[in-house]
Amino acid sequence: MIDTTQLNNDEINFLVYLCNTSKNRLVPIVTPENLSFQNRTFVENLLNYLLDTRDDEGLTDEGVRLIQGILDKWTE
């Protein structure tokens, strides 16, 4: 499960977007309401994969900062 209490709205919405557009996306569709019930390991692996490979052509500098911020909050 994901602790969404540490995340702001932008981070939550970005995670929802990434989970729903991932090639290996979760089923059912992720929403802000059910994000906290998603598999944290899967989401962390997805975020690390995107950072390591920059595999998402639409990943902007702001997106990179959001991902790094989320991962930092989870490892504090």
Side-chain angles (χ1 to χ4, degrees):
M1 293 185 60
I2 296 173
D3 181 6
T4 57
T5 60
Q6 299 171 303
L7 306 178
N8 64 40
N9 285 339
D10 289 339
E11 292 166 333
I12 289 171
N13 290 332
F14 189 63
L15 276 180
V16 168
Y17 166 78
L18 289 177
C19 288
N20 288 329
T21 59
S22 165
K23 294 174 189 159
N24 298 316
R25 84 171 178 80
L26 301 168
V27 177
I29 299 294
V30 177
T31 67
E33 292 76 26
N34 70 16
L35 178 62
S36 64
F37 299 103
Q38 303 309 312
N39 182 309
R40 180 171 166 164
T41 301
F42 173 85
V43 174
E44 284 183 2
N45 288 341
L46 172 63
L47 296 178
N48 284 312
Y49 173 79
L50 290 173
L51 285 180
D52 291 345
T53 64
R54 305 295 165 109
D55 192 39
D56 181 55
E57 293 178 19
L59 190 60
T60 64
D61 289 340
E62 183 177 344
V64 169
R65 282 191 296 277
L66 281 170
I67 290 172
Q68 291 169 333
I70 292 166
L71 291 172
D72 287 345
K73 287 179 182 180
W74 286 349
T75 57
E76 289 179 342

